[in-house]
Amino acid sequence: MSWILLIVAGILEVVWAFAMKESHGFTRVMPVVVMVAAMAGSFTLLAMAMRSLPLGTAYMVWTGFGAVGAFAVGVWFLGEQFTVQRGIAAALIIAGMVTMKMS
């Protein structure tokens, strides 16, 4: 169950990062509301997952999921450039998360 909570927390981290970008510097109200709600949910679920997962593992997976997810959203929805170097960096983050899970 803790891993499910952690994955949902990671998804919410991507949601709040995207909403923050869409708020245009906190000038648009609805994205700010979505951002704050997603942040609260993400932090809450992360804390719940940390009840049974080690701190290092939980935090690393949460931040990695957020980083790779935000990168993917940027490329797919915001037209940000995909380069081989950025793709390799994302793959290395994923490899680190998988290795951490396996250890």
Side-chain angles (χ1 to χ4, degrees), residues 6 10 29 31 49 80-81 87:
L6 187 58
V29 174
E80 295 177 2
Q81 186 177 11

Side-chain angles (χ1 to χ4, degrees), residues 75-99:
V75 169
W76 287 325
F77 296 107
L78 300 175
E80 295 177 2
Q81 186 177 11
F82 178 89
T83 64
V84 172
Q85 292 163 322
R86 293 178 81 199
I88 290 169
L92 288 170
I93 292 169
I94 293 168
M97 290 189 305
V98 169
T99 303

